[in-house]
Amino acid sequence: MNRHLNRRTTSALLALLAVPALLTGCETGTKDKDKGEGGAAGADAKAGSALAAVDTLTVKGRAPKTGYERGRFGTAWADTDSNRCPTRDDILKRDLKDVRYQGGDCRVASGTLAPDPYTGKDVTFRRGRSQVDIDHLVALSDAWQKGAFQWEPGKRIAFANDPLNLLAVDAGPNRGKGDGDTATWLPPNKAYRCTYVAGQVAVKKKYGVWVTGAERDAMKKVLTTCPAEKLPSGPAPTVAPPRFHAR
């Protein structure tokens, strides 16, 4: 009888000793699984980086384009910063080299985009027959379908004229971009893609423009290759002065 009891006692003790090992094995497996599925933004993103900021954007489906027109964002190139120069000329002065003016220091007559960020090539700007466009990093139509249709006019005007959202570029690829987002269009110049996507993330974060699931994934795919890419910022307010109006 004692021998049977001893065997049962020994078996029970061995079973109890095995429980912590089993529990430890389960916990380790869960942790390893979490690491594998955490995604690049969780594993590689650094504070203040564009990659980290992607996860702060709201993810929703694209709304209909119904009601969109350029006039919803005010008159093109409104002088929202009140420096007496149209926004277009402000960006040309900022982005071009060897700038020359017409009558003063506001109206840009010529200059060189050296290099164009979208192609990596030099492009000559001459007013009236220019191959240089001012691109909205986040297209107005894209913003409209991802929240801007709900905004007050003053916010839409500020968005359309915010230097953070504007870039002088080669007209060819810009017109090919249309209202594409990161999921549907990237600059041909691969060396500029991290900067380009970081700019889009910054604009969408600043104004609360949402992204689609495919767009978020595309942003992460690009920015994972440059996890230290900083999120750019700009001081322009998100509401235009009340003297400006939009439809």
Side-chain angles (χ1 to χ4, degrees), residues 68-104:
Y68 169 75
E69 56 181 282
R70 178 62 178 83
R72 297 285 188 177
F73 291 81
T75 303
W77 313 128
D79 179 21
T80 53
D81 63 0
S82 303
N83 70 349
R84 300 185 179 180
C85 289
T87 301
R88 174 179 168 79
D89 286 289
D90 286 338
I91 302 306
L92 289 171
K93 287 193 289 184
R94 184 194 70 186
D95 293 351
L96 298 183
K97 297 177 181 178
D98 302 321
V99 174
R100 294 186 178 182
Y101 300 94
Q102 274 182 356

PDB file of all heavy atoms in Angstrom, residues 68-104:
ATOM      1  N   TYR A  68     -16.713  67.947 -55.108  1.00  0.00           N
ATOM      2  CA  TYR A  68     -15.370  68.524 -55.184  1.00  0.00           C
ATOM      3  C   TYR A  68     -15.222  69.452 -56.380  1.00  0.00           C
ATOM      4  O   TYR A  68     -15.660  69.140 -57.488  1.00  0.00           O
ATOM      5  CB  TYR A  68     -14.299  67.431 -55.279  1.00  0.00           C
ATOM      6  CG  TYR A  68     -12.943  68.028 -55.627  1.00  0.00           C
ATOM      7  CD1 TYR A  68     -12.214  68.716 -54.662  1.00  0.00           C
ATOM      8  CD2 TYR A  68     -12.435  67.959 -56.931  1.00  0.00           C
ATOM      9  CE1 TYR A  68     -10.995  69.297 -54.982  1.00  0.00           C
ATOM     10  CE2 TYR A  68     -11.211  68.535 -57.250  1.00  0.00           C
ATOM     11  CZ  TYR A  68     -10.496  69.205 -56.268  1.00  0.00           C
ATOM     12  OH  TYR A  68      -9.300  69.797 -56.588  1.00  0.00           O
ATOM     13  N   GLU A  69     -14.598  70.581 -56.148  1.00  0.00           N
ATOM     14  CA  GLU A  69     -14.126  71.478 -57.201  1.00  0.00           C
ATOM     15  C   GLU A  69     -13.047  72.354 -56.599  1.00  0.00           C
ATOM     16  O   GLU A  69     -12.985  72.554 -55.376  1.00  0.00           O
ATOM     17  CB  GLU A  69     -15.263  72.336 -57.763  1.00  0.00           C
ATOM     18  CG  GLU A  69     -16.018  73.155 -56.728  1.00  0.00           C
ATOM     19  CD  GLU A  69     -17.148  73.952 -57.373  1.00  0.00           C
ATOM     20  OE1 GLU A  69     -16.840  74.990 -57.981  1.00  0.00           O
ATOM     21  OE2 GLU A  69     -18.307  73.540 -57.250  1.00  0.00           O
ATOM     22  N   ARG A  70     -12.158  72.851 -57.433  1.00  0.00           N
ATOM     23  CA  ARG A  70     -11.002  73.630 -56.950  1.00  0.00           C
ATOM     24  C   ARG A  70     -11.436  74.818 -56.109  1.00  0.00           C
ATOM     25  O   ARG A  70     -10.780  75.177 -55.113  1.00  0.00           O
ATOM     26  CB  ARG A  70     -10.164  74.103 -58.141  1.00  0.00           C
ATOM     27  CG  ARG A  70      -8.959  74.972 -57.758  1.00  0.00           C
ATOM     28  CD  ARG A  70      -7.979  74.210 -56.888  1.00  0.00           C
ATOM     29  NE  ARG A  70      -6.806  74.987 -56.534  1.00  0.00           N
ATOM     30  CZ  ARG A  70      -6.738  75.880 -55.522  1.00  0.00           C
ATOM     31  NH1 ARG A  70      -7.820  76.129 -54.790  1.00  0.00           N
ATOM     32  NH2 ARG A  70      -5.610  76.506 -55.258  1.00  0.00           N
ATOM     33  N   GLY A  71     -12.559  75.423 -56.463  1.00  0.00           N
ATOM     34  CA  GLY A  71     -13.034  76.594 -55.726  1.00  0.00           C
ATOM     35  C   GLY A  71     -13.379  76.320 -54.277  1.00  0.00           C
ATOM     36  O   GLY A  71     -13.467  77.256 -53.465  1.00  0.00           O
ATOM     37  N   ARG A  72     -13.561  75.053 -53.919  1.00  0.00           N
ATOM     38  CA  ARG A  72     -13.829  74.705 -52.513  1.00  0.00           C
ATOM     39  C   ARG A  72     -12.631  75.021 -51.625  1.00  0.00           C
ATOM     40  O   ARG A  72     -12.758  75.110 -50.399  1.00  0.00           O
ATOM     41  CB  ARG A  72     -14.174  73.225 -52.388  1.00  0.00           C
ATOM     42  CG  ARG A  72     -15.439  72.802 -53.126  1.00  0.00           C
ATOM     43  CD  ARG A  72     -16.671  73.256 -52.390  1.00  0.00           C
ATOM     44  NE  ARG A  72     -17.883  72.702 -52.983  1.00  0.00           N
ATOM     45  CZ  ARG A  72     -19.098  72.899 -52.493  1.00  0.00           C
ATOM     46  NH1 ARG A  72     -19.264  73.640 -51.416  1.00  0.00           N
ATOM     47  NH2 ARG A  72     -20.153  72.385 -53.096  1.00  0.00           N
ATOM     48  N   PHE A  73     -11.464  75.182 -52.247  1.00  0.00           N
ATOM     49  CA  PHE A  73     -10.241  75.484 -51.509  1.00  0.00           C
ATOM     50  C   PHE A  73      -9.796  76.936 -51.723  1.00  0.00           C
ATOM     51  O   PHE A  73      -8.649  77.278 -51.477  1.00  0.00           O
ATOM     52  CB  PHE A  73      -9.137  74.521 -51.922  1.00  0.00           C
ATOM     53  CG  PHE A  73      -9.380  73.102 -51.462  1.00  0.00           C
ATOM     54  CD1 PHE A  73     -10.229  72.263 -52.174  1.00  0.00           C
ATOM     55  CD2 PHE A  73      -8.775  72.607 -50.311  1.00  0.00           C
ATOM     56  CE1 PHE A  73     -10.465  70.953 -51.751  1.00  0.00           C
ATOM     57  CE2 PHE A  73      -9.003  71.303 -49.884  1.00  0.00           C
ATOM     58  CZ  PHE A  73      -9.854  70.476 -50.608  1.00  0.00           C
ATOM     59  N   GLY A  74     -10.729  77.763 -52.197  1.00  0.00           N
ATOM     60  CA  GLY A  74     -10.437  79.176 -52.363  1.00  0.00           C
ATOM     61  C   GLY A  74      -9.767  79.499 -53.685  1.00  0.00           C
ATOM     62  O   GLY A  74      -9.502  78.629 -54.515  1.00  0.00           O
ATOM     63  N   THR A  75      -9.481  80.775 -53.865  1.00  0.00           N
ATOM     64  CA  THR A  75      -8.778  81.228 -55.060  1.00  0.00           C
ATOM     65  C   THR A  75      -7.362  80.675 -55.071  1.00  0.00           C
ATOM     66  O   THR A  75      -6.683  80.658 -54.047  1.00  0.00           O
ATOM     67  CB  THR A  75      -8.717  82.767 -55.084  1.00  0.00           C
ATOM     68  OG1 THR A  75     -10.050  83.277 -55.017  1.00  0.00           O
ATOM     69  CG2 THR A  75      -8.048  83.274 -56.352  1.00  0.00           C
ATOM     70  N   ALA A  76      -6.928  80.221 -56.240  1.00  0.00           N
ATOM     71  CA  ALA A  76      -5.596  79.610 -56.326  1.00  0.00           C
ATOM     72  C   ALA A  76      -4.505  80.585 -55.914  1.00  0.00           C
ATOM     73  O   ALA A  76      -4.498  81.746 -56.326  1.00  0.00           O
ATOM     74  CB  ALA A  76      -5.350  79.132 -57.762  1.00  0.00           C
ATOM     75  N   TRP A  77      -3.610  80.096 -55.076  1.00  0.00           N
ATOM     76  CA  TRP A  77      -2.405  80.813 -54.645  1.00  0.00           C
ATOM     77  C   TRP A  77      -2.714  82.114 -53.903  1.00  0.00           C
ATOM     78  O   TRP A  77      -2.081  83.135 -54.103  1.00  0.00           O
ATOM     79  CB  TRP A  77      -1.473  81.068 -55.824  1.00  0.00           C
ATOM     80  CG  TRP A  77      -1.260  79.863 -56.686  1.00  0.00           C
ATOM     81  CD1 TRP A  77      -1.412  79.772 -58.037  1.00  0.00           C
ATOM     82  CD2 TRP A  77      -0.869  78.547 -56.246  1.00  0.00           C
ATOM     83  NE1 TRP A  77      -1.146  78.499 -58.468  1.00  0.00           N
ATOM     84  CE2 TRP A  77      -0.807  77.726 -57.390  1.00  0.00           C
ATOM     85  CE3 TRP A  77      -0.572  77.987 -55.005  1.00  0.00           C
ATOM     86  CZ2 TRP A  77      -0.460  76.376 -57.339  1.00  0.00           C
ATOM     87  CZ3 TRP A  77      -0.232  76.636 -54.939  1.00  0.00           C
ATOM     88  CH2 TRP A  77      -0.175  75.848 -56.088  1.00  0.00           C
ATOM     89  N   ALA A  78      -3.696  82.047 -53.012  1.00  0.00           N
ATOM     90  CA  ALA A  78      -4.043  83.199 -52.180  1.00  0.00           C
ATOM     91  C   ALA A  78      -2.890  83.548 -51.241  1.00  0.00           C
ATOM     92  O   ALA A  78      -2.182  82.663 -50.740  1.00  0.00           O
ATOM     93  CB  ALA A  78      -5.301  82.892 -51.373  1.00  0.00           C
ATOM     94  N   ASP A  79      -2.706  84.828 -51.003  1.00  0.00           N
ATOM     95  CA  ASP A  79      -1.617  85.310 -50.139  1.00  0.00           C
ATOM     96  C   ASP A  79      -2.020  85.190 -48.669  1.00  0.00           C
ATOM     97  O   ASP A  79      -2.207  86.174 -47.960  1.00  0.00           O
ATOM     98  CB  ASP A  79      -1.295  86.758 -50.503  1.00  0.00           C
ATOM     99  CG  ASP A  79      -0.189  87.357 -49.641  1.00  0.00           C
ATOM    100  OD1 ASP A  79       0.591  86.578 -49.047  1.00  0.00           O
ATOM    101  OD2 ASP A  79      -0.111  88.593 -49.555  1.00  0.00           O
ATOM    102  N   THR A  80      -2.138  83.950 -48.189  1.00  0.00           N
ATOM    103  CA  THR A  80      -2.630  83.725 -46.833  1.00  0.00           C
ATOM    104  C   THR A  80      -1.640  84.148 -45.753  1.00  0.00           C
ATOM    105  O   THR A  80      -2.026  84.373 -44.610  1.00  0.00           O
ATOM    106  CB  THR A  80      -2.990  82.238 -46.623  1.00  0.00           C
ATOM    107  OG1 THR A  80      -1.877  81.425 -46.993  1.00  0.00           O
ATOM    108  CG2 THR A  80      -4.193  81.861 -47.475  1.00  0.00           C
ATOM    109  N   ASP A  81      -0.342  84.268 -46.099  1.00  0.00           N
ATOM    110  CA  ASP A  81       0.638  84.701 -45.100  1.00  0.00           C
ATOM    111  C   ASP A  81       0.837  86.220 -45.120  1.00  0.00           C
ATOM    112  O   ASP A  81       1.671  86.751 -44.378  1.00  0.00           O
ATOM    113  CB  ASP A  81       1.980  83.985 -45.283  1.00  0.00           C
ATOM    114  CG  ASP A  81       2.643  84.299 -46.620  1.00  0.00           C
ATOM    115  OD1 ASP A  81       2.067  85.078 -47.418  1.00  0.00           O
ATOM    116  OD2 ASP A  81       3.734  83.765 -46.871  1.00  0.00           O
ATOM    117  N   SER A  82       0.080  86.897 -45.960  1.00  0.00           N
ATOM    118  CA  SER A  82       0.060  88.372 -46.002  1.00  0.00           C
ATOM    119  C   SER A  82       1.430  89.003 -46.237  1.00  0.00           C
ATOM    120  O   SER A  82       1.742  90.060 -45.686  1.00  0.00           O
ATOM    121  CB  SER A  82      -0.539  88.919 -44.696  1.00  0.00           C
ATOM    122  OG  SER A  82      -1.833  88.404 -44.463  1.00  0.00           O
ATOM    123  N   ASN A  83       2.245  88.371 -47.086  1.00  0.00           N
ATOM    124  CA  ASN A  83       3.557  88.962 -47.410  1.00  0.00           C
ATOM    125  C   ASN A  83       3.533  89.684 -48.759  1.00  0.00           C
ATOM    126  O   ASN A  83       4.564  90.062 -49.288  1.00  0.00           O
ATOM    127  CB  ASN A  83       4.650  87.890 -47.399  1.00  0.00           C
ATOM    128  CG  ASN A  83       4.529  86.914 -48.570  1.00  0.00           C
ATOM    129  OD1 ASN A  83       3.514  86.899 -49.281  1.00  0.00           O
ATOM    130  ND2 ASN A  83       5.544  86.093 -48.758  1.00  0.00           N
ATOM    131  N   ARG A  84       2.327  89.837 -49.317  1.00  0.00           N
ATOM    132  CA  ARG A  84       2.088  90.555 -50.576  1.00  0.00           C
ATOM    133  C   ARG A  84       2.618  89.827 -51.813  1.00  0.00           C
ATOM    134  O   ARG A  84       2.795  90.426 -52.862  1.00  0.00           O
ATOM    135  CB  ARG A  84       2.654  91.982 -50.509  1.00  0.00           C
ATOM    136  CG  ARG A  84       2.027  92.818 -49.407  1.00  0.00           C
ATOM    137  CD  ARG A  84       2.518  94.251 -49.443  1.00  0.00           C
ATOM    138  NE  ARG A  84       1.887  95.043 -48.389  1.00  0.00           N
ATOM    139  CZ  ARG A  84       2.121  96.336 -48.182  1.00  0.00           C
ATOM    140  NH1 ARG A  84       2.983  96.981 -48.964  1.00  0.00           N
ATOM    141  NH2 ARG A  84       1.509  96.979 -47.213  1.00  0.00           N
ATOM    142  N   CYS A  85       2.867  88.538 -51.656  1.00  0.00           N
ATOM    143  CA  CYS A  85       3.264  87.701 -52.794  1.00  0.00           C
ATOM    144  C   CYS A  85       2.320  86.497 -52.865  1.00  0.00           C
ATOM    145  O   CYS A  85       2.018  85.893 -51.827  1.00  0.00           O
ATOM    146  CB  CYS A  85       4.691  87.191 -52.651  1.00  0.00           C
ATOM    147  SG  CYS A  85       5.964  88.437 -52.862  1.00  0.00           S
ATOM    148  N   PRO A  86       1.870  86.118 -54.056  1.00  0.00           N
ATOM    149  CA  PRO A  86       1.051  84.905 -54.176  1.00  0.00           C
ATOM    150  C   PRO A  86       1.835  83.682 -53.689  1.00  0.00           C
ATOM    151  O   PRO A  86       3.066  83.624 -53.793  1.00  0.00           O
ATOM    152  CB  PRO A  86       0.764  84.814 -55.682  1.00  0.00           C
ATOM    153  CG  PRO A  86       0.961  86.196 -56.200  1.00  0.00           C
ATOM    154  CD  PRO A  86       2.052  86.788 -55.357  1.00  0.00           C
ATOM    155  N   THR A  87       1.111  82.724 -53.186  1.00  0.00           N
ATOM    156  CA  THR A  87       1.760  81.518 -52.656  1.00  0.00           C
ATOM    157  C   THR A  87       2.638  80.838 -53.697  1.00  0.00           C
ATOM    158  O   THR A  87       3.722  80.331 -53.381  1.00  0.00           O
ATOM    159  CB  THR A  87       0.692  80.525 -52.151  1.00  0.00           C
ATOM    160  OG1 THR A  87      -0.090  81.151 -51.135  1.00  0.00           O
ATOM    161  CG2 THR A  87       1.338  79.274 -51.587  1.00  0.00           C
ATOM    162  N   ARG A  88       2.211  80.826 -54.952  1.00  0.00           N
ATOM    163  CA  ARG A  88       3.000  80.186 -56.014  1.00  0.00           C
ATOM    164  C   ARG A  88       4.394  80.795 -56.090  1.00  0.00           C
ATOM    165  O   ARG A  88       5.405  80.073 -56.166  1.00  0.00           O
ATOM    166  CB  ARG A  88       2.288  80.313 -57.358  1.00  0.00           C
ATOM    167  CG  ARG A  88       3.101  79.794 -58.547  1.00  0.00           C
ATOM    168  CD  ARG A  88       2.310  79.932 -59.850  1.00  0.00           C
ATOM    169  NE  ARG A  88       3.154  79.701 -61.026  1.00  0.00           N
ATOM    170  CZ  ARG A  88       3.510  78.515 -61.480  1.00  0.00           C
ATOM    171  NH1 ARG A  88       3.129  77.416 -60.850  1.00  0.00           N
ATOM    172  NH2 ARG A  88       4.266  78.399 -62.556  1.00  0.00           N
ATOM    173  N   ASP A  89       4.482  82.124 -56.062  1.00  0.00           N
ATOM    174  CA  ASP A  89       5.793  82.779 -56.130  1.00  0.00           C
ATOM    175  C   ASP A  89       6.619  82.515 -54.877  1.00  0.00           C
ATOM    176  O   ASP A  89       7.846  82.392 -54.952  1.00  0.00           O
ATOM    177  CB  ASP A  89       5.619  84.277 -56.363  1.00  0.00           C
ATOM    178  CG  ASP A  89       5.205  84.600 -57.788  1.00  0.00           C
ATOM    179  OD1 ASP A  89       6.048  84.452 -58.696  1.00  0.00           O
ATOM    180  OD2 ASP A  89       4.040  84.975 -58.004  1.00  0.00           O
ATOM    181  N   ASP A  90       5.962  82.415 -53.741  1.00  0.00           N
ATOM    182  CA  ASP A  90       6.684  82.083 -52.508  1.00  0.00           C
ATOM    183  C   ASP A  90       7.396  80.736 -52.644  1.00  0.00           C
ATOM    184  O   ASP A  90       8.552  80.579 -52.229  1.00  0.00           O
ATOM    185  CB  ASP A  90       5.714  82.024 -51.316  1.00  0.00           C
ATOM    186  CG  ASP A  90       5.252  83.393 -50.858  1.00  0.00           C
ATOM    187  OD1 ASP A  90       5.942  84.388 -51.145  1.00  0.00           O
ATOM    188  OD2 ASP A  90       4.195  83.460 -50.192  1.00  0.00           O
ATOM    189  N   ILE A  91       6.715  79.757 -53.215  1.00  0.00           N
ATOM    190  CA  ILE A  91       7.293  78.420 -53.347  1.00  0.00           C
ATOM    191  C   ILE A  91       8.372  78.398 -54.418  1.00  0.00           C
ATOM    192  O   ILE A  91       9.416  77.743 -54.266  1.00  0.00           O
ATOM    193  CB  ILE A  91       6.197  77.377 -53.657  1.00  0.00           C
ATOM    194  CG1 ILE A  91       5.136  77.385 -52.557  1.00  0.00           C
ATOM    195  CG2 ILE A  91       6.807  75.985 -53.786  1.00  0.00           C
ATOM    196  CD1 ILE A  91       5.677  77.188 -51.143  1.00  0.00           C
ATOM    197  N   LEU A  92       8.161  79.138 -55.506  1.00  0.00           N
ATOM    198  CA  LEU A  92       9.200  79.224 -56.531  1.00  0.00           C
ATOM    199  C   LEU A  92      10.474  79.836 -55.950  1.00  0.00           C
ATOM    200  O   LEU A  92      11.589  79.352 -56.198  1.00  0.00           O
ATOM    201  CB  LEU A  92       8.712  80.055 -57.721  1.00  0.00           C
ATOM    202  CG  LEU A  92       7.634  79.413 -58.600  1.00  0.00           C
ATOM    203  CD1 LEU A  92       7.096  80.430 -59.604  1.00  0.00           C
ATOM    204  CD2 LEU A  92       8.179  78.184 -59.323  1.00  0.00           C
ATOM    205  N   LYS A  93      10.329  80.894 -55.180  1.00  0.00           N
ATOM    206  CA  LYS A  93      11.506  81.519 -54.547  1.00  0.00           C
ATOM    207  C   LYS A  93      12.205  80.551 -53.604  1.00  0.00           C
ATOM    208  O   LYS A  93      13.435  80.531 -53.518  1.00  0.00           O
ATOM    209  CB  LYS A  93      11.077  82.784 -53.784  1.00  0.00           C
ATOM    210  CG  LYS A  93      10.733  83.954 -54.664  1.00  0.00           C
ATOM    211  CD  LYS A  93      10.637  85.254 -53.880  1.00  0.00           C
ATOM    212  CE  LYS A  93       9.411  85.300 -52.999  1.00  0.00           C
ATOM    213  NZ  LYS A  93       9.286  86.612 -52.313  1.00  0.00           N
ATOM    214  N   ARG A  94      11.434  79.761 -52.898  1.00  0.00           N
ATOM    215  CA  ARG A  94      12.000  78.813 -51.937  1.00  0.00           C
ATOM    216  C   ARG A  94      12.731  77.657 -52.622  1.00  0.00           C
ATOM    217  O   ARG A  94      13.802  77.238 -52.171  1.00  0.00           O
ATOM    218  CB  ARG A  94      10.875  78.245 -51.056  1.00  0.00           C
ATOM    219  CG  ARG A  94      11.354  77.310 -49.945  1.00  0.00           C
ATOM    220  CD  ARG A  94      10.197  76.523 -49.350  1.00  0.00           C
ATOM    221  NE  ARG A  94       9.672  75.524 -50.295  1.00  0.00           N
ATOM    222  CZ  ARG A  94       8.586  74.781 -50.057  1.00  0.00           C
ATOM    223  NH1 ARG A  94       7.899  74.932 -48.938  1.00  0.00           N
ATOM    224  NH2 ARG A  94       8.186  73.896 -50.954  1.00  0.00           N
ATOM    225  N   ASP A  95      12.180  77.151 -53.724  1.00  0.00           N
ATOM    226  CA  ASP A  95      12.669  75.902 -54.307  1.00  0.00           C
ATOM    227  C   ASP A  95      13.601  76.063 -55.512  1.00  0.00           C
ATOM    228  O   ASP A  95      14.341  75.131 -55.839  1.00  0.00           O
ATOM    229  CB  ASP A  95      11.488  75.013 -54.721  1.00  0.00           C
ATOM    230  CG  ASP A  95      10.691  74.512 -53.526  1.00  0.00           C
ATOM    231  OD1 ASP A  95      11.156  74.720 -52.379  1.00  0.00           O
ATOM    232  OD2 ASP A  95       9.615  73.923 -53.725  1.00  0.00           O
ATOM    233  N   LEU A  96      13.561  77.211 -56.191  1.00  0.00           N
ATOM    234  CA  LEU A  96      14.400  77.396 -57.368  1.00  0.00           C
ATOM    235  C   LEU A  96      15.758  77.992 -57.011  1.00  0.00           C
ATOM    236  O   LEU A  96      15.920  78.640 -55.970  1.00  0.00           O
ATOM    237  CB  LEU A  96      13.712  78.320 -58.378  1.00  0.00           C
ATOM    238  CG  LEU A  96      12.383  77.870 -58.976  1.00  0.00           C
ATOM    239  CD1 LEU A  96      11.908  78.897 -60.002  1.00  0.00           C
ATOM    240  CD2 LEU A  96      12.482  76.491 -59.602  1.00  0.00           C
ATOM    241  N   LYS A  97      16.706  77.789 -57.900  1.00  0.00           N
ATOM    242  CA  LYS A  97      18.026  78.424 -57.804  1.00  0.00           C
ATOM    243  C   LYS A  97      18.161  79.457 -58.919  1.00  0.00           C
ATOM    244  O   LYS A  97      17.452  79.390 -59.925  1.00  0.00           O
ATOM    245  CB  LYS A  97      19.128  77.369 -57.923  1.00  0.00           C
ATOM    246  CG  LYS A  97      19.108  76.337 -56.800  1.00  0.00           C
ATOM    247  CD  LYS A  97      20.178  75.276 -57.003  1.00  0.00           C
ATOM    248  CE  LYS A  97      20.143  74.237 -55.891  1.00  0.00           C
ATOM    249  NZ  LYS A  97      21.146  73.158 -56.101  1.00  0.00           N
ATOM    250  N   ASP A  98      19.074  80.402 -58.721  1.00  0.00           N
ATOM    251  CA  ASP A  98      19.333  81.445 -59.722  1.00  0.00           C
ATOM    252  C   ASP A  98      18.046  82.173 -60.115  1.00  0.00           C
ATOM    253  O   ASP A  98      17.735  82.382 -61.293  1.00  0.00           O
ATOM    254  CB  ASP A  98      19.981  80.846 -60.979  1.00  0.00           C
ATOM    255  CG  ASP A  98      21.283  80.126 -60.668  1.00  0.00           C
ATOM    256  OD1 ASP A  98      22.036  80.636 -59.817  1.00  0.00           O
ATOM    257  OD2 ASP A  98      21.535  79.064 -61.258  1.00  0.00           O
ATOM    258  N   VAL A  99      17.279  82.556 -59.097  1.00  0.00           N
ATOM    259  CA  VAL A  99      15.979  83.193 -59.327  1.00  0.00           C
ATOM    260  C   VAL A  99      16.152  84.623 -59.833  1.00  0.00           C
ATOM    261  O   VAL A  99      16.976  85.391 -59.318  1.00  0.00           O
ATOM    262  CB  VAL A  99      15.147  83.194 -58.030  1.00  0.00           C
ATOM    263  CG1 VAL A  99      13.854  83.986 -58.211  1.00  0.00           C
ATOM    264  CG2 VAL A  99      14.841  81.760 -57.603  1.00  0.00           C
ATOM    265  N   ARG A 100      15.357  84.972 -60.840  1.00  0.00           N
ATOM    266  CA  ARG A 100      15.275  86.342 -61.335  1.00  0.00           C
ATOM    267  C   ARG A 100      13.831  86.798 -61.256  1.00  0.00           C
ATOM    268  O   ARG A 100      12.908  85.992 -61.416  1.00  0.00           O
ATOM    269  CB  ARG A 100      15.792  86.432 -62.772  1.00  0.00           C
ATOM    270  CG  ARG A 100      17.289  86.127 -62.877  1.00  0.00           C
ATOM    271  CD  ARG A 100      17.805  86.362 -64.283  1.00  0.00           C
ATOM    272  NE  ARG A 100      19.250  86.120 -64.372  1.00  0.00           N
ATOM    273  CZ  ARG A 100      19.966  86.287 -65.485  1.00  0.00           C
ATOM    274  NH1 ARG A 100      19.362  86.704 -66.601  1.00  0.00           N
ATOM    275  NH2 ARG A 100      21.261  86.049 -65.478  1.00  0.00           N
ATOM    276  N   TYR A 101      13.649  88.112 -61.033  1.00  0.00           N
ATOM    277  CA  TYR A 101      12.316  88.640 -60.789  1.00  0.00           C
ATOM    278  C   TYR A 101      11.878  89.609 -61.871  1.00  0.00           C
ATOM    279  O   TYR A 101      12.687  90.172 -62.604  1.00  0.00           O
ATOM    280  CB  TYR A 101      12.274  89.350 -59.428  1.00  0.00           C
ATOM    281  CG  TYR A 101      12.606  88.454 -58.263  1.00  0.00           C
ATOM    282  CD1 TYR A 101      13.915  88.380 -57.764  1.00  0.00           C
ATOM    283  CD2 TYR A 101      11.627  87.677 -57.665  1.00  0.00           C
ATOM    284  CE1 TYR A 101      14.221  87.554 -56.689  1.00  0.00           C
ATOM    285  CE2 TYR A 101      11.925  86.848 -56.598  1.00  0.00           C
ATOM    286  CZ  TYR A 101      13.227  86.787 -56.113  1.00  0.00           C
ATOM    287  OH  TYR A 101      13.525  85.973 -55.055  1.00  0.00           O
ATOM    288  N   GLN A 102      10.576  89.830 -61.921  1.00  0.00           N
ATOM    289  CA  GLN A 102       9.982  90.858 -62.773  1.00  0.00           C
ATOM    290  C   GLN A 102       9.468  91.977 -61.875  1.00  0.00           C
ATOM    291  O   GLN A 102       8.528  91.767 -61.101  1.00  0.00           O
ATOM    292  CB  GLN A 102       8.783  90.287 -63.559  1.00  0.00           C
ATOM    293  CG  GLN A 102       9.132  89.621 -64.854  1.00  0.00           C
ATOM    294  CD  GLN A 102       7.876  89.132 -65.579  1.00  0.00           C
ATOM    295  OE1 GLN A 102       6.767  89.246 -65.062  1.00  0.00           O
ATOM    296  NE2 GLN A 102       8.045  88.568 -66.756  1.00  0.00           N
ATOM    297  N   GLY A 103      10.091  93.134 -61.943  1.00  0.00           N
ATOM    298  CA  GLY A 103       9.590  94.285 -61.206  1.00  0.00           C
ATOM    299  C   GLY A 103       9.500  94.076 -59.706  1.00  0.00           C
ATOM    300  O   GLY A 103       8.418  93.911 -59.153  1.00  0.00           O
ATOM    301  N   GLY A 104      10.617  94.058 -59.041  1.00  0.00           N
ATOM    302  CA  GLY A 104      10.638  93.892 -57.589  1.00  0.00           C
ATOM    303  C   GLY A 104      11.221  92.551 -57.191  1.00  0.00           C
ATOM    304  O   GLY A 104      12.015  91.956 -57.922  1.00  0.00           O
TER     305      GLY A 104
END
